[in-house]
Amino acid sequence: RDLGDRLLSAYAKGGVGMPSNMVSLQSQDLNQEWEGVKHHLAEFGTTQLEFYALSRETGDMKYAEASAKPLVAVHERNKNHYLLPAHFFGNGNKASPEAYTVAGYADSYYEYLLKAWVQAGAHRGDMVHDTGKRWEGAMDEMIQYLVNRRGGVTTLLEVQGLLNGGFLHMQMDHLACFAPGMLALGTHKAKSLLSFEKRLKFMEIAEELTETCYKMYSTTETGLAGENYRVFFGEIQVADKKNMLRPEAVESLMILYRVTGKNKYREWGWEIFQAIEKHCKVEAGYSGVRDVTQEPAELDNKMQSWFLAETLKYLYLLFSPTDVVSLDEWVFNTEAHPLMIW
């Protein structure tokens, strides 16, 4: 509760409730240095699970209400638009130039629309802000505008400019590889929200995108994925060649395996794990790689925090029995910490 109260000071500016992106836990002073006046969609849209859980445990709804307030404001301004731009001003209006993506700056907002709804479990009537329909609408628009199915390869791209009529940037980030797992989790947990036909559609897209994310690894000389890939007709080609031990692909493999029971997702995960062991393991831990197309791999001597928190955890759960941290009892926050479904 003490930590929650200190973090809550980030919401003290009033208005539509946009939080400051930096707050001193000691003095509770606010700082908006990171992007100046802009707020990232993933920034104000990725506190709901944690603050909802704190409200549930303490019986004090102020935490859930504070984290929901900016979402309510933005959703009110975009009642008929579900896929939102990555940047907003503090008054809740869209910031220019617009960019639409489910990768960096936006990713976990969409993740939390679904997961907050899943977290509420049998108590959805008590939600401060019901996000289930917003997630469904966002996925419909994501498939309409961002999913690219050409030449037998399904990719997830970005629109720069207006959503309807902007420039489709033919590049897919590894960060977007969380999305197929999100879609699969939705088909598994949101049966009362989605029609049977829509669940089939979402699952089909999820499996196609998961295969593309696997190819990010299997098509390089080291078996490790780069940061992003250029998309051509029928193929992907690594653009940014560094590997930072990211978790998104193995997260989706774990969820896809648990939802479908198809053993190929374990096999793909084992290949990825073996590549990590071969090229990234060092005496004191694991290191990222500067160029996934070169052997022997040159290490960057950095082990990112998400490698232990997420990448290894999801790999462990991929090969564990499905009742270990069951998807029917727990929901993972964006850093792979399990929170109980109410």
Side-chain angles (χ1 to χ4, degrees):
R1 184 194 289 264
D2 179 52
L3 177 59
D5 287 339
R6 293 172 187 271
L7 290 171
L8 207 60
S9 63
Y11 293 86
K13 292 189 299 183
V16 301
M18 290 289 184
S20 295
N21 58 38
M22 294 184 185
V23 57
S24 168
L25 294 179
Q26 182 176 18
S27 67
Q28 298 182 39
D29 290 337
L30 306 180
N31 196 326
Q32 190 66 24
E33 285 184 355
W34 186 29
E35 283 280 326
V37 297
K38 288 184 180 180
H39 295 263
H40 304 305
L41 185 60
E43 181 180 77
F44 64 83
T46 314
T47 63
Q48 288 68 39
L49 290 183
E50 295 81 4
F51 277 156
Y52 284 14
L54 184 57
S55 284
R56 183 76 178 177
E57 293 298 325
T58 63
D60 192 338
M61 295 305 293
K62 68 180 181 181
Y63 308 105
E65 289 167 355
S67 65
K69 188 176 179 180
L71 292 189
V72 173
V74 168
H75 292 167
E76 280 294 314
R77 286 164 167 77
N78 297 274
K79 289 184 178 180
N80 299 316
H81 301 280
Y82 299 94
L83 197 69
L84 299 179
H87 307 289
F88 285 82
F89 291 121
N91 61 6
N93 292 332
K94 300 174 183 178
S96 297
E98 294 179 23
Y100 293 84
T101 178
V102 295
Y105 300 118
D107 43 10
S108 48
Y109 160 77
Y110 297 105
E111 179 185 358
Y112 272 38
L113 289 181
L114 172 65
K115 289 183 174 181
W117 189 88
V118 171
Q119 180 191 36
H123 301 277
R124 292 194 182 104
D126 299 330
M127 291 181 71
V128 175
H129 183 48
D130 190 330
T131 55
K133 282 295 182 182
R134 291 292 311 191
W135 179 78
E136 179 184 2
M139 294 303 98
D140 288 339
E141 292 185 0
M142 179 189 79
I143 292 170
Q144 179 181 355
Y145 293 107
L146 304 186
V147 170
N148 183 58
R149 302 169 94 179
R150 294 182 182 177
V153 175
T154 300
T155 51
L156 194 48
L157 308 177
E158 174 183 314
V159 170
Q160 298 173 347
L162 298 177
L163 181 59
N164 189 4
F167 171 70
L168 189 63
H169 186 46
M170 301 300 288
Q171 178 174 291
M172 180 173 175
D173 293 347
H174 186 280
L175 285 170
C177 284
F178 86 97
M182 174 182 61
L183 285 169
L185 182 66
T187 67
H188 177 65
K189 296 298 297 180
K191 295 175 182 177
S192 63
L193 181 67
L194 305 176
S195 68
F196 178 73
E197 292 76 15
K198 188 165 288 187
R199 286 171 55 216
L200 289 179
K201 180 181 181 181
F202 283 10
M203 197 66 220
E204 181 180 39
I205 297 291
E207 295 214 61
E208 291 175 5
L209 286 173
T210 302
E211 183 172 1
T212 300
C213 291
Y214 163 67
K215 288 179 179 177
M216 290 183 178
Y217 290 81
S218 65
T219 56
T220 69
E221 286 76 3
T222 59
L224 298 170
E227 275 286 280
N228 53 54
Y229 286 71
R230 289 184 289 268
V231 177
F232 300 99
F233 185 83
E235 66 176 288
I236 58 172
Q237 184 179 90
V238 63
D240 186 339
K241 298 178 181 181
K242 64 177 176 288
N243 177 278
M244 300 174 66
L245 302 170
R246 290 197 183 276
E248 292 80 18
V250 294
E251 173 186 2
S252 286
L253 290 174
M254 184 274 288
I255 296 172
L256 267 289
Y257 172 73
R258 290 194 171 194
V259 171
T260 69
K262 294 180 179 179
N263 202 53
K264 68 178 180 180
Y265 298 117
R266 278 185 163 176
E267 293 171 355
W268 292 352
W270 183 246
E271 289 180 29
I272 292 170
F273 175 67
Q274 286 182 308
I276 293 171
E277 285 288 293
K278 179 180 178 180
H279 298 289
C280 304
K281 190 172 184 177
V282 295
E283 184 178 357
Y286 291 80
S287 169
V289 166
R290 298 187 189 279
D291 186 342
V292 298
T293 68
Q294 297 294 322
E295 287 193 277
E298 181 185 356
L299 303 179
D300 67 8
N301 294 317
K302 297 177 183 177
M303 186 172 79
Q304 306 288 344
S305 61
W306 56 70
F307 179 69
L308 295 180
E310 300 181 70
T311 310
L312 285 186
K313 185 183 297 178
Y314 285 130
L315 282 166
Y316 173 79
L317 292 172
L318 173 61
F319 299 107
S320 298
T322 56
D323 60 354
V324 176
V325 197
S326 168
L327 296 180
D328 294 323
E329 298 176 10
W330 302 90
V331 61
F332 292 95
N333 78 351
T334 194
E335 301 301 327
H337 305 307
L339 297 170
M340 188 177 295
I341 295 174
W342 300 338

Short mmCIF file of all heavy atoms in Angstrom, two decimals, residues 177-206:
data_model
loop_
_atom_site.label_atom_id
_atom_site.label_comp_id
_atom_site.label_asym_id
_atom_site.label_seq_id
_atom_site.Cartn_x
_atom_site.Cartn_y
_atom_site.Cartn_z
N CYS A 177 5.77 -9.59 -31.55
CA CYS A 177 5.54 -11.04 -31.44
C CYS A 177 4.78 -11.44 -30.18
O CYS A 177 4.46 -12.62 -30.01
CB CYS A 177 6.87 -11.78 -31.53
SG CYS A 177 7.53 -11.86 -33.22
N PHE A 178 4.47 -10.47 -29.31
CA PHE A 178 3.58 -10.79 -28.19
C PHE A 178 2.14 -10.93 -28.67
O PHE A 178 1.31 -11.58 -28.03
CB PHE A 178 3.63 -9.68 -27.12
CG PHE A 178 2.68 -8.54 -27.40
CD1 PHE A 178 1.44 -8.50 -26.79
CD2 PHE A 178 3.02 -7.54 -28.31
CE1 PHE A 178 0.54 -7.47 -27.08
CE2 PHE A 178 2.14 -6.51 -28.59
CZ PHE A 178 0.90 -6.47 -27.97
N ALA A 179 1.82 -10.30 -29.82
CA ALA A 179 0.44 -10.19 -30.28
C ALA A 179 -0.22 -11.54 -30.56
O ALA A 179 -1.39 -11.74 -30.21
CB ALA A 179 0.36 -9.28 -31.50
N PRO A 180 0.45 -12.49 -31.22
CA PRO A 180 -0.23 -13.78 -31.42
C PRO A 180 -0.58 -14.47 -30.12
O PRO A 180 -1.65 -15.10 -30.01
CB PRO A 180 0.78 -14.59 -32.24
CG PRO A 180 2.08 -13.87 -32.14
CD PRO A 180 1.73 -12.43 -31.94
N GLY A 181 0.26 -14.35 -29.11
CA GLY A 181 -0.08 -14.92 -27.81
C GLY A 181 -1.28 -14.22 -27.20
O GLY A 181 -2.14 -14.86 -26.59
N MET A 182 -1.36 -12.91 -27.36
CA MET A 182 -2.51 -12.15 -26.88
C MET A 182 -3.79 -12.61 -27.57
O MET A 182 -4.82 -12.81 -26.92
CB MET A 182 -2.27 -10.66 -27.11
CG MET A 182 -3.46 -9.78 -26.78
SD MET A 182 -3.15 -8.02 -27.10
CE MET A 182 -2.82 -8.02 -28.87
N LEU A 183 -3.73 -12.75 -28.89
CA LEU A 183 -4.91 -13.22 -29.62
C LEU A 183 -5.34 -14.61 -29.15
O LEU A 183 -6.53 -14.87 -28.95
CB LEU A 183 -4.62 -13.25 -31.11
CG LEU A 183 -4.59 -11.91 -31.84
CD1 LEU A 183 -4.02 -12.09 -33.24
CD2 LEU A 183 -5.99 -11.31 -31.92
N ALA A 184 -4.37 -15.50 -28.96
CA ALA A 184 -4.70 -16.86 -28.52
C ALA A 184 -5.27 -16.85 -27.11
O ALA A 184 -6.22 -17.59 -26.81
CB ALA A 184 -3.45 -17.73 -28.58
N LEU A 185 -4.71 -16.02 -26.24
CA LEU A 185 -5.26 -15.91 -24.88
C LEU A 185 -6.70 -15.42 -24.93
O LEU A 185 -7.55 -15.89 -24.17
CB LEU A 185 -4.40 -14.97 -24.05
CG LEU A 185 -4.82 -14.80 -22.59
CD1 LEU A 185 -4.64 -16.10 -21.81
CD2 LEU A 185 -4.02 -13.67 -21.92
N GLY A 186 -6.97 -14.48 -25.83
CA GLY A 186 -8.33 -13.99 -25.98
C GLY A 186 -9.30 -15.06 -26.43
O GLY A 186 -10.42 -15.16 -25.92
N THR A 187 -8.89 -15.89 -27.38
CA THR A 187 -9.78 -16.97 -27.83
C THR A 187 -10.04 -17.98 -26.72
O THR A 187 -11.10 -18.60 -26.67
CB THR A 187 -9.21 -17.69 -29.05
OG1 THR A 187 -8.02 -18.41 -28.68
CG2 THR A 187 -8.88 -16.72 -30.17
N HIS A 188 -9.06 -18.12 -25.82
CA HIS A 188 -9.18 -19.09 -24.73
C HIS A 188 -9.99 -18.56 -23.56
O HIS A 188 -10.81 -19.28 -22.97
CB HIS A 188 -7.77 -19.48 -24.25
CG HIS A 188 -7.76 -20.42 -23.09
ND1 HIS A 188 -8.25 -21.70 -23.16
CD2 HIS A 188 -7.30 -20.25 -21.81
CE1 HIS A 188 -8.10 -22.30 -21.98
NE2 HIS A 188 -7.54 -21.44 -21.15
N LYS A 189 -9.77 -17.28 -23.22
CA LYS A 189 -10.37 -16.72 -22.00
C LYS A 189 -11.61 -15.87 -22.26
O LYS A 189 -12.36 -15.59 -21.33
CB LYS A 189 -9.34 -15.89 -21.24
CG LYS A 189 -8.14 -16.68 -20.73
CD LYS A 189 -8.57 -17.75 -19.73
CE LYS A 189 -9.20 -17.15 -18.49
NZ LYS A 189 -9.61 -18.22 -17.53
N ALA A 190 -11.81 -15.41 -23.49
CA ALA A 190 -12.91 -14.48 -23.76
C ALA A 190 -14.02 -15.13 -24.58
O ALA A 190 -14.58 -14.52 -25.49
CB ALA A 190 -12.37 -13.24 -24.48
N LYS A 191 -14.34 -16.35 -24.22
CA LYS A 191 -15.37 -17.07 -24.96
C LYS A 191 -16.75 -16.41 -24.83
O LYS A 191 -17.59 -16.52 -25.71
CB LYS A 191 -15.43 -18.53 -24.49
CG LYS A 191 -14.15 -19.30 -24.80
CD LYS A 191 -14.17 -20.71 -24.22
CE LYS A 191 -12.85 -21.42 -24.50
NZ LYS A 191 -12.79 -22.77 -23.89
N SER A 192 -16.98 -15.75 -23.69
CA SER A 192 -18.25 -15.05 -23.51
C SER A 192 -18.27 -13.70 -24.20
O SER A 192 -19.33 -13.07 -24.33
CB SER A 192 -18.52 -14.86 -22.01
OG SER A 192 -17.53 -14.03 -21.41
N LEU A 193 -17.12 -13.23 -24.65
CA LEU A 193 -17.00 -11.93 -25.30
C LEU A 193 -17.02 -12.05 -26.81
O LEU A 193 -17.65 -11.24 -27.50
CB LEU A 193 -15.70 -11.25 -24.84
CG LEU A 193 -15.38 -9.86 -25.39
CD1 LEU A 193 -16.37 -8.83 -24.86
CD2 LEU A 193 -13.94 -9.47 -25.02
N LEU A 194 -16.34 -13.07 -27.34
CA LEU A 194 -16.17 -13.22 -28.79
C LEU A 194 -17.12 -14.26 -29.35
O LEU A 194 -17.39 -15.29 -28.71
CB LEU A 194 -14.73 -13.64 -29.10
CG LEU A 194 -13.60 -12.76 -28.56
CD1 LEU A 194 -12.26 -13.40 -28.88
CD2 LEU A 194 -13.68 -11.35 -29.10
N SER A 195 -17.60 -14.03 -30.57
CA SER A 195 -18.40 -15.04 -31.26
C SER A 195 -17.50 -16.22 -31.63
O SER A 195 -16.27 -16.09 -31.68
CB SER A 195 -19.03 -14.45 -32.52
OG SER A 195 -18.02 -14.15 -33.48
N PHE A 196 -18.11 -17.35 -31.90
CA PHE A 196 -17.35 -18.53 -32.29
C PHE A 196 -16.56 -18.26 -33.56
O PHE A 196 -15.38 -18.63 -33.67
CB PHE A 196 -18.30 -19.71 -32.50
CG PHE A 196 -17.61 -20.97 -32.95
CD1 PHE A 196 -16.83 -21.71 -32.06
CD2 PHE A 196 -17.72 -21.41 -34.26
CE1 PHE A 196 -16.18 -22.87 -32.48
CE2 PHE A 196 -17.07 -22.57 -34.68
CZ PHE A 196 -16.32 -23.30 -33.78
N GLU A 197 -17.18 -17.57 -34.53
CA GLU A 197 -16.52 -17.26 -35.79
C GLU A 197 -15.32 -16.36 -35.57
O GLU A 197 -14.25 -16.54 -36.19
CB GLU A 197 -17.49 -16.62 -36.77
CG GLU A 197 -18.60 -17.54 -37.26
CD GLU A 197 -19.70 -17.76 -36.22
OE1 GLU A 197 -19.74 -16.99 -35.21
OE2 GLU A 197 -20.48 -18.71 -36.39
N LYS A 198 -15.45 -15.38 -34.67
CA LYS A 198 -14.36 -14.47 -34.42
C LYS A 198 -13.22 -15.17 -33.69
O LYS A 198 -12.04 -14.89 -33.95
CB LYS A 198 -14.84 -13.26 -33.63
CG LYS A 198 -13.79 -12.16 -33.48
CD LYS A 198 -14.39 -10.85 -33.01
CE LYS A 198 -15.21 -10.20 -34.08
NZ LYS A 198 -15.65 -8.83 -33.69
N ARG A 199 -13.56 -16.07 -32.79
CA ARG A 199 -12.51 -16.83 -32.11
C ARG A 199 -11.70 -17.64 -33.11
O ARG A 199 -10.47 -17.72 -33.00
CB ARG A 199 -13.12 -17.73 -31.04
CG ARG A 199 -13.61 -16.97 -29.80
CD ARG A 199 -14.39 -17.87 -28.87
NE ARG A 199 -13.63 -19.06 -28.50
CZ ARG A 199 -14.16 -20.26 -28.32
NH1 ARG A 199 -15.46 -20.46 -28.49
NH2 ARG A 199 -13.39 -21.27 -27.97
N LEU A 200 -12.37 -18.26 -34.07
CA LEU A 200 -11.65 -19.01 -35.10
C LEU A 200 -10.74 -18.10 -35.92
O LEU A 200 -9.59 -18.45 -36.21
CB LEU A 200 -12.66 -19.70 -36.03
CG LEU A 200 -13.45 -20.88 -35.46
CD1 LEU A 200 -14.40 -21.43 -36.52
CD2 LEU A 200 -12.51 -21.99 -34.99
N LYS A 201 -11.24 -16.91 -36.26
CA LYS A 201 -10.45 -15.95 -37.05
C LYS A 201 -9.24 -15.48 -36.27
O LYS A 201 -8.11 -15.44 -36.80
CB LYS A 201 -11.34 -14.76 -37.44
CG LYS A 201 -10.62 -13.70 -38.26
CD LYS A 201 -11.56 -12.55 -38.59
CE LYS A 201 -10.87 -11.48 -39.43
NZ LYS A 201 -11.80 -10.35 -39.73
N PHE A 202 -9.45 -15.10 -35.00
CA PHE A 202 -8.33 -14.64 -34.18
C PHE A 202 -7.28 -15.73 -34.01
O PHE A 202 -6.08 -15.47 -34.04
CB PHE A 202 -8.84 -14.20 -32.81
CG PHE A 202 -9.51 -12.84 -32.79
CD1 PHE A 202 -9.82 -12.18 -33.96
CD2 PHE A 202 -9.83 -12.23 -31.58
CE1 PHE A 202 -10.45 -10.93 -33.94
CE2 PHE A 202 -10.44 -10.99 -31.55
CZ PHE A 202 -10.75 -10.34 -32.72
N MET A 203 -7.74 -16.97 -33.85
CA MET A 203 -6.81 -18.07 -33.65
C MET A 203 -6.02 -18.35 -34.93
O MET A 203 -4.81 -18.66 -34.87
CB MET A 203 -7.57 -19.32 -33.21
CG MET A 203 -6.68 -20.37 -32.58
SD MET A 203 -5.96 -19.81 -31.03
CE MET A 203 -4.32 -20.47 -31.18
N GLU A 204 -6.67 -18.24 -36.06
CA GLU A 204 -5.97 -18.44 -37.34
C GLU A 204 -4.86 -17.41 -37.51
O GLU A 204 -3.72 -17.76 -37.87
CB GLU A 204 -6.97 -18.33 -38.49
CG GLU A 204 -6.35 -18.55 -39.86
CD GLU A 204 -7.36 -18.43 -40.98
OE1 GLU A 204 -8.26 -17.55 -40.91
OE2 GLU A 204 -7.27 -19.21 -41.95
N ILE A 205 -5.16 -16.15 -37.24
CA ILE A 205 -4.16 -15.09 -37.33
C ILE A 205 -3.04 -15.33 -36.32
O ILE A 205 -1.85 -15.15 -36.61
CB ILE A 205 -4.79 -13.72 -37.11
CG1 ILE A 205 -5.82 -13.40 -38.21
CG2 ILE A 205 -3.72 -12.62 -37.04
CD1 ILE A 205 -5.23 -13.17 -39.57
N ALA A 206 -3.41 -15.75 -35.11
CA ALA A 206 -2.42 -16.00 -34.05
C ALA A 206 -1.42 -17.06 -34.50
O ALA A 206 -0.20 -16.91 -34.31
CB ALA A 206 -3.12 -16.42 -32.76
#
